[in-house]
Amino acid sequence: MAATHEPQPFTHVAIVGPGAIGCMLAVRLALAGPSPRVTLIDHRRDRADRLSARPIVLHAPEGDLEARLPVRLVPDEPPDLVILATKAYAARDAARSAARWIGPGAPGPVLAIQNGLGIAEEVAAVLARAAVITGVMYQAANVVAEGEVHHAANQRTHLGYLGRAPDEKVAAVAALFESAGLPASVEEEMAPHVWGKALVNAALNPVAALAGVRNGDVAVRPALRAMAETIAAEGEAAARAERVGLPYASAAGATFETARATAENRCSMLQDLQNGRPTEIEYLNGAIVRVAESYGLSSPANRAVATLVRAVSAARREAS
């Protein structure tokens, strides 16, 4: 899509969340040409001090990259772009914190790149004055150590608004990503991309997490495959009720394609359960159940895995 105005470059980008994706974006954008100033925002002062004291290292497909940049609890001055790179369950609180420092008047755009359903709406409700852009990312990054990230796959990010056409702000974010070597496209409709990725994650992640297996097992073990197929079919029914067209012919087919392509990967939900961290289940299967029920549909498979993940997560977190 051609922008109606020439995209204006950003001069100061604040990235909220020093996890794998946040650190990857911080390094990539800091090294982009012409590069904006980049501030990484952390809610922990001790970690922010440590990350500020040394370069953040990115092991990328093209070789190792590193950038030394400020890591702050609050940016030194209001940015003209904010990227929320937190987990889905933390996005609303991150937006509340950002509301205190994004500046008066008409702030720059806020990009929400979380996985799942309903996140952009939650962020927009908190940041009513900001243009909240939705990003659906196909990036694979994993934390090696604090401030050190393995960038395993650099794939496209889809950018746009939910419920309205894109504008020059979306085009400017896409141009920024492209300048940093991150493929990006401006989309007329974002709902298909949001739902498309959410259904794949909902069918793959909790099944792999509850079984304690790598992604590839979900595509080849009959019981796991059958569960994923049922979850995907229920998700498709919810999407149809919402009148959302999906970007593929079959959610189950897309799930198994993803499982095979990432066969050796331990999904983030499995890692979260194993490490006693919260999961994104409420924005995946939990959200599918809520949407389905609003149309009088039942989603027993999604309800079952959501209930099980909640129970396992609570037990692991209590034990840890």
Side-chain angles (χ1 to χ4, degrees), residues 159 298 316:
L159 298 162
S298 63
R316 295 281 175 84

Side-chain angles (χ1 to χ4, degrees), residues 59-74:
H59 304 295
E62 69 269 32
D64 288 353
L65 306 170
E66 63 177 48
R68 188 163 182 171
L69 46 91
V71 185
R72 302 282 188 265
L73 301 184
V74 174

Side-chain angles (χ1 to χ4, degrees), residues 27 50-57 66-69 146-148:
V27 171
R50 291 193 300 271
L51 291 174
S52 291
R54 61 181 185 270
I56 294 175
V57 178
E66 63 177 48
R68 188 163 182 171
L69 46 91
E146 189 176 86
E148 183 180 359

Side-chain angles (χ1 to χ4, degrees), residues 8 16 51 60 69 107 119 135 154 166 171 181 185-186 190 197 214 255 257 274-275 312 317:
Q8 294 300 306
V16 182
L51 291 174
L69 46 91
I119 298 103
N154 181 13
S185 58
V186 177
M190 280 302 298
K197 188 175 184 185
R214 297 180 186 271
T255 297
E257 181 180 346
Q274 290 177 332
N275 290 288
V312 173
R317 292 169 68 188

Side-chain angles (χ1 to χ4, degrees), residues 119-165:
I119 298 103
E121 294 89 337
E122 288 186 355
V123 171
V126 174
L127 298 174
R129 294 183 292 111
V132 178
I133 299 170
T134 294
V136 174
M137 301 189 78
Y138 289 91
Q139 297 285 346
N142 302 285
V143 173
V144 177
E146 189 176 86
E148 183 180 359
V149 171
H150 177 222
H151 189 191
N154 181 13
Q155 300 184 52
R156 185 162 301 278
T157 297
H158 302 274
L159 298 162
Y161 296 117
L162 286 172
R164 64 186 176 100

Side-chain angles (χ1 to χ4, degrees), residues 190-218:
M190 280 302 298
H193 297 284
V194 172
W195 275 80
K197 188 175 184 185
L199 295 194
V200 169
N201 285 348
L204 177 58
N205 292 6
V207 175
L210 290 168
V213 300
R214 297 180 186 271
N215 288 357
D217 289 313
V218 177

Side-chain angles (χ1 to χ4, degrees), residues 182-274:
L182 300 166
S185 58
V186 177
E187 306 295 345
E188 291 288 339
E189 294 185 67
M190 280 302 298
H193 297 284
V194 172
W195 275 80
K197 188 175 184 185
L199 295 194
V200 169
N201 285 348
L204 177 58
N205 292 6
V207 175
L210 290 168
V213 300
R214 297 180 186 271
N215 288 357
D217 289 313
V218 177
V220 297
R221 294 192 184 185
L224 303 184
R225 185 180 176 94
M227 177 59 75
E229 285 178 335
T230 303
I231 292 169
E234 291 176 1
E236 285 182 326
R240 283 195 300 271
E242 280 278 280
R243 300 184 183 276
V244 174
L246 297 173
Y248 38 63
S250 162
T255 297
F256 299 136
E257 181 180 346
T258 299
R260 289 188 290 268
T262 61
E264 295 304 311
N265 187 50
R266 294 185 307 119
C267 71
S268 60
M269 190 173 291
L270 172 57
Q271 295 180 60
D272 288 340
L273 286 183
Q274 290 177 332

